[in-house]
Structures are given as C-alpha cells and as structure tokens.
Amino acid sequence: MMDVSDMLPHGALDGIKVLDLSRILAGPTCTQLLGDLGATVIKIENPATGGDDTRQWGPPYVQRADGSDSDLSAYFMAANRNKQSVALDIATPEGQHTIRRLAAQADILIENFKPGGLAKYGLDHATLTQEFPGLVYCSISGFGQTGPNRHKPGYDLMAQGYGGIMSLTGEPDGRPLKVGVGIADVMCGMYATVGILAALRHKERTGEGQHLELALVDSQIAWLINEGVNYLTSEQVPQRRGNGHPNIVPYDVYASADGHVILAVGNDNQFQRFVGFLGRDDLARDPRFATNPARLENRDALNAQLIPALQKYSTDQIIAGMETLKVPVGPVQTLDQVFSSDQVAARAMKVDMDTSAGPVQVIGNPLKFSRTPVLYRHAPPECGADTNRVLDSDTPFDT
C-alpha cells in the first residue's frame, strides 16, 4: 500500500496559472484536469448569460438548504472543480482590459470561441502573444482554425457524426448511434491537456509560448484507431456490429439466463477453454472456428451456436466459470452498481466535496501519483463566486 507520508502537499503543476475562457465540455475537461494536477485555474463566465452554458443543462441541480436549485447542475460539476469563477463580460472594454491583466500573469490561456471570434475584442492569439510572447494559447473549435468547415459550429453529436464513430456504433440493422456520453468533447480535452503540457515543456526550455489549436472532429477521427486504420488498409468501409469486435470473435455482449455478460476471448487457447466450459469442445475442433481468422469469417455461424449455449447459464455462473479458466469476462453494470462497488471505493473514484450550495459527490480523477497526488482543493463554484476576491488582488492567481 502507498505510504501517504511520501506524498507532497501540492500537485505536479503547482505554480502553473491557467486563464480559462472555455465553456461546455472540451475546454472545461482540459482545465479541470490541469486543476486536479495542481494548476491554479481562473474560469471566466459571462454574467449576462448565466455563465457556462452547462449550468442550465439540468436537472439535476444541487439544491440549497431552502430547497431551491443552485446553478450547480450535475453536468457543470462534471468538468469544473478546482477552478475559481469570475463573472466578466469580455465584450466590454473593462472586461477586455481585465482579461489582458490576467493574461499577463498566466502561463496558459484556453478558449473555445468560433475561429476568429476573439479578434474583435483584441483577445485572439496573434494579438495577445505579441504582448505576452511566453503565453501558451490553446484554441478549441469544432473543425479547427483552417479548412472549409472552420466556421461551422462544433458540438459533440456533430463531431461524432462527421468523424465517423456514429457509423460504427449501433446494431447492424439499426440506426447510427452516438456514444452514451460526450466522448468527442472529452477526448478533445484530453488531447488538449497533452498538447499544453508539451508546450509548457518547450516554454521551459526556450521561454517561448505558442498557439495550440484542436478540433473536435480531428480528435474524434484520431481515436477511430483500429477501425480507422482497418479502412485505410483495406479500403473496406466498416459496418456496425453492435457490441461485436471487428477483429476478434467471440468478443461481444451475450444474453445469459438472467441478464447479460461480456466475453472477450482473445486467443485460440482461451477459446478452447471457453467452449469446454459450455460442453462444446467440438466447436474448437471445427475448422470454421478453430482459429481467430476462421471465427472472424464465420462469426454468424459461431454465434448461432454460442447464443443458445450461454443462455443455459446465469451471469454469475458464466463469470465464475470464465474467471476460473482465465478467460476474460465481465458484467454489464448499471451506474448504481458501479458507484457502490468495492473497486470504486478502493480506487477513490467517487469523491465527496462541499459546495457553497451543499455537499456533492463527483467522479474521481483516474491518475494515481506516488509523490504528487491529485488534490480536490476547490468544489465546483457557483457563477462569479470568486469575482471580487480575484479581481481585487494584485496577484489574482495567488488568491
């Protein structure tokens, strides 16, 4: 077990200052991660619109003691801890002056306005980095700063559709489906974090800032991974397979006698043990199924044998049997099962925090450091909660 006495009382990015002009999910995912790692994050929100759009993306909301709703929607809280909220209208000269004052002390600025949208305020990359050449300036948009679609709006659903993942998601005879959460936004935020850390490394060596720009669609295309390269290699357009794997069989969700179970039979030895459990050793000897390439070619014929065989067993029986035989297997858990599990408790993936509106629970950070642990310093803030304290200070990132 890790010795907590070896841990330092600050994060790995302690001292890094982030000016966050982003909203919704991609940018806030990035800045929350930087904040979790110890950076100081000042989040700018427009008071005229009620702040970050996701504050209105409820219910559920955190309820105050008097039973009224706060502006802390669950959606907003998912990506906005470890930040200070400053209510500021950047369309005003005063707001623009304040942003430049904050940018003068920041290491990083993140924004997700439409390409060119900040130029009219004098807050675009070209303008700010003339004044502050060491600034790492990160722009996130739907289609990027270049290309014929640069001015189109960027939403996760559109990125999933344009970038191809929806064409791969869903049942073969059903309609295309998006992934159940805003994964194009989240992954774009992850790529942004990696890029920012690389830009900070360059700044440490040279003193130079730079412009990092990302597109939701580019990020989504990047994580097509094996299916994308399958197409580029074969020029065969992949088809929807439900939960089936394009290159491994059986690798799917199967009905049991009382629910569903996930099976991921990754090699021929595992397949032999798997069908042995079912009492169907003959399937391992059948040349149509003896090797993975053969099983791939004869997927439907094999599933016609496996589906009724698996339905004779309960989910627990299948999981226990496969674990004994060291064949990858698992349940399909609902979220109440996920967050009540011993595994979640052991890995600290559910975190209690106290907001100004009341106590909440948020999802933990998956990064586990031996020396500079993730710190849950600030609960998600209500809009403008830190405005006076931050703007009245000569060193706003130190408040």
Side-chain angles (χ1 to χ4, degrees):
M1 179 175 293
M2 186 183 304
D3 184 353
V4 295
S5 66
D6 289 337
M7 294 184 177
L8 299 176
H10 55 75
L13 297 184
D14 180 50
I16 297 297
K17 302 167 184 177
V18 181
L19 180 55
D20 183 5
L21 274 63
S22 71
R23 63 194 190 281
I24 305 183
L25 190 54
T29 293
C30 171
T31 52
Q32 175 170 275
L33 183 50
L34 295 173
D36 283 357
L37 298 178
T40 299
V41 182
I42 294 178
K43 180 181 179 72
I44 304 300
E45 301 191 70
N46 187 349
T49 62
D52 191 309
D53 305 49
T54 61
R55 290 188 183 276
Q56 284 75 51
W57 290 9
Y61 296 95
V62 178
Q63 288 195 323
R64 303 182 188 281
D66 63 5
S68 64
D69 286 340
S70 70
D71 66 0
L72 296 175
S73 70
Y75 202 115
F76 174 83
M77 291 194 298
N80 285 286
R81 66 170 170 255
N82 283 331
K83 303 178 186 180
Q84 302 172 73
S85 173
V86 170
L88 189 68
D89 185 356
I90 67 171
T92 66
E94 296 80 8
Q96 294 156 24
H97 172 75
T98 300
I99 293 298
R100 285 193 290 272
R101 180 168 76 88
L102 294 171
Q105 299 186 37
D107 298 291
I108 302 159
L109 184 150
I110 301 178
E111 59 90 8
N112 66 343
F113 287 75
K114 290 181 181 178
L118 287 176
K120 60 185 175 182
Y121 305 131
L123 302 177
D124 56 302
H125 166 258
T127 302
L128 282 185
T129 53
Q130 277 189 338
E131 189 171 356
F132 313 117
L135 186 65
V136 173
Y137 190 113
C138 177
S139 298
I140 297 173
S141 60
F143 288 86
Q145 306 292 308
T146 57
N149 293 336
R150 63 187 294 267
H151 293 296
K152 291 186 177 181
Y155 286 91
D156 179 89
L157 181 61
M158 296 178 185
Q160 290 197 38
Y162 193 95
I165 194 65
M166 283 181 66
S167 74
L168 306 177
T169 307
E171 294 299 329
D173 55 353
R175 61 176 179 159
L177 295 175
K178 71 177 184 67
V179 179
V181 296
I183 193 66
D185 271 322
V186 170
M187 285 305 301
C188 188
M190 296 291 183
Y191 281 115
T193 304
V194 173
I196 285 169
L197 295 178
L200 286 176
R201 176 69 175 123
H202 175 75
K203 178 181 176 178
E204 287 176 357
R205 290 186 297 185
T206 67
E208 295 177 335
Q210 60 182 300
H211 191 198
L212 167 67
E213 66 107 345
L214 300 95
L216 294 184
V217 169
D218 291 354
S219 298
Q220 198 273 277
I221 292 171
W223 59 264
L224 288 174
I225 52 172
N226 58 302
E227 281 284 53
V229 179
N230 281 349
Y231 167 72
L232 293 174
T233 302
S234 69
E235 297 189 349
Q236 299 296 310
V237 176
Q239 303 300 306
R240 291 191 298 281
R241 299 182 181 87
N243 292 305
H245 195 286
N247 302 104
I248 306 171
V249 177
Y251 188 111
D252 211 330
V253 177
Y254 290 91
S256 64
D258 59 355
H260 292 86
V261 65
I262 298 169
L263 288 161
V265 182
N267 60 53
D268 297 337
N269 288 332
Q270 290 178 1
F271 182 71
Q272 293 167 13
R273 298 196 296 272
F274 164 56
V275 295
F277 168 84
L278 297 177
R280 293 296 309 273
D281 296 276
D282 58 298
L283 296 175
R285 297 190 296 269
D286 190 320
R288 295 176 299 167
F289 312 133
T291 66
N292 185 68
R295 292 192 294 274
L296 199 62
E297 185 176 348
N298 296 286
R299 181 195 300 264
D300 292 342
L302 177 59
N303 279 332
Q305 300 294 318
L306 297 182
I307 289 171
L310 285 162
Q311 288 176 335
K312 297 176 182 178
Y313 300 88
S314 70
T315 296
D316 287 346
Q317 287 175 321
I318 296 169
I319 289 176
M322 295 300 100
E323 287 181 345
T324 299
L325 295 171
K326 301 189 183 305
V327 175
V329 66
V332 180
Q333 296 197 124
T334 54
L335 295 196
D336 57 327
Q337 294 171 318
V338 171
F339 286 110
S340 64
S341 69
D342 293 342
Q343 184 67 19
V344 161
R347 300 291 294 171
M349 288 305 297
K350 181 173 66 175
V351 177
D352 295 312
M353 302 192 81
D354 289 316
T355 73
S356 57
V360 300
Q361 293 181 323
V362 295
I363 299 173
N365 191 303
L367 298 172
K368 314 299 180 187
F369 292 86
S370 63
R371 290 283 286 151
T372 55
V374 167
L375 301 174
Y376 302 97
R377 299 165 294 152
H378 306 297
E382 294 189 88
C383 184
D386 306 290
T387 302
N388 292 336
R389 181 167 52 82
V390 169
L391 297 188
D392 289 346
S393 172
D394 293 332
T395 55
F397 286 95
D398 295 330
T399 57

